[in-house]
Amino acid sequence: MTYAPSRLFEVREAIIIAWQALRSNKLRSALTILGVVIGIVTVTLMGTTINGITKAFRQSISSMGADVLFVGRFPWMSFEDWRTFRNRKPFSAHDAQELERLSTTVAAVALQADDNATVMYDRRKVSGAWIVGNVEASLYVRGLTMAKGRFINTADVASQRNVCVIGSYLAEGFFPHDEPIGKRIRVADTAYEVVGVLEKQGAFFGGWNQDNQVVVPISRFAMDFDHYPDYVIAVKARDPAQVQETKEELRAILRRLRKVAPDAQDDFAINQQEAFLKFFMAFGGTIAIAGLFVTSLSLFVGGIGIMNIMFVSVAERTKEIGIRKALGAKRRTILIQFLVEAATITLGAGLVGLAIAWPATLAINEFSTFAAEMSWPIAIISILVSIATGVVAGFIPAWRAARMDPVEALRIE
């Protein structure tokens, strides 16, 4: 019945002795933890950075819609020879109409194409704006929301009207104090009337600005920007839980429409945000492995320092160890004492490392295009890693102290 309390007493006593030993050697303890501090700062910043990148990436690709499929000639994130896909037959408006007519699992189909051009209003100019040819269904398929005015409608597409919907970045830059609806802007060499403004969408993964876009009727796009556009067909599944079923149905319809032989490979690609996720996870895994290697080196160097100082501590307190063992202290008690001392040193290093990593994370948020995110799991993992480093590094010195012969220990002066 007294076994558990004695264990707790041993740990409590070990903590007190460890704290007294650290206080008596402040400078030595401070220098010892430097390597561990560097390791903990590294592992914490790596965790916050990867966490921030992952969050920013997921927020960016969520704008594509998990239930939206993109049918086109080229597969996303492919490392195959692009010439293989360049020679494929392009898609047309008829293909989009047939997909919508024949599919039973599709909620909406939208034909789209894009390009880049210079947009001007009065004396203001924006180069490299994203020009998107859309249809009425694109508002729903792309998951867009109107801030002002209206979106492209069927009549705009049918009559090839030179009307457009602009992103919030262009609206704020061109019309900071005016009402944009009804104004005429120049897109490339053509004047377009602004009929709507999109809600703010933000940048895609900290780079491509989705608010720097101009949406025009797809028919007008083919007149003013590309007479033979490389169309992409965006397809929204009726049930988000059955996207794979929708994908297989589209594949069967497309093979029939494009007259692909039964034994031939698809001459088209059906893309979804999963392709970006897979690529990012592979890329993120490589970054994590590289970061883990750097962190391991820092912690290894710090662990060597801890082990060295623990050997010195054991040597300095050999007589004390002999007296304690002569008075009946068990090997377990001596082992726990030195392990707790090593873990206490590295726990202090972990807390110092977190204290440095916290403002460093704020600095990353201030000066980078993505937000590094400090979270409780990352902080707890950093503390556990620091304690584990102390336990591992201090085990051999603690084991040596625990196995000392009390008679031999008492002889040492």
Side-chain angles (χ1 to χ4, degrees), residues 297-326:
L297 285 179
S298 301
L299 291 175
F300 178 75
V301 173
I304 293 296
I306 296 295
M307 185 180 295
N308 181 59
I309 206 67
M310 290 307 298
F311 273 123
V312 172
S313 181
V314 169
E316 289 177 346
R317 292 151 63 186
T318 300
K319 191 170 184 178
E320 174 194 326
I321 295 168
I323 293 172
R324 295 191 68 201
K325 296 195 77 172

Side-chain angles (χ1 to χ4, degrees), residues 4 7 9 11 30 62 64 69 122 158 167 193 217 220 229 236 241 277 282 295 297 334 336 350 355 368 377 408:
R7 284 284 182 90
F9 177 77
V11 174
S62 65
M64 296 181 183
L69 302 169
D122 197 11
E193 179 186 348
R220 193 76 203 185
K236 190 175 184 68
L277 278 173
T295 301
L297 285 179
I334 304 298
I336 290 175
S368 70
E408 294 295 327

Side-chain angles (χ1 to χ4, degrees), residues 329-397:
K330 298 179 181 179
R331 286 182 177 180
R332 181 188 67 211
T333 304
I334 304 298
L335 181 69
I336 290 175
Q337 174 192 333
F338 283 94
L339 285 179
V340 169
E341 184 173 333
T344 303
I345 293 174
T346 52
L347 174 60
L351 294 175
V352 172
L354 281 178
I356 296 172
W358 186 273
T361 300
L362 298 178
I364 292 173
N365 290 339
E366 182 70 24
F367 298 109
S368 70
T369 56
F370 57 88
E373 185 175 339
M374 176 72 77
S375 62
W376 281 111
I378 292 175
I380 292 171
I381 289 172
S382 298
I383 293 297
L384 292 177
V385 168
S386 65
I387 294 173
T389 301
V391 172
V392 172
F395 183 79
I396 294 177

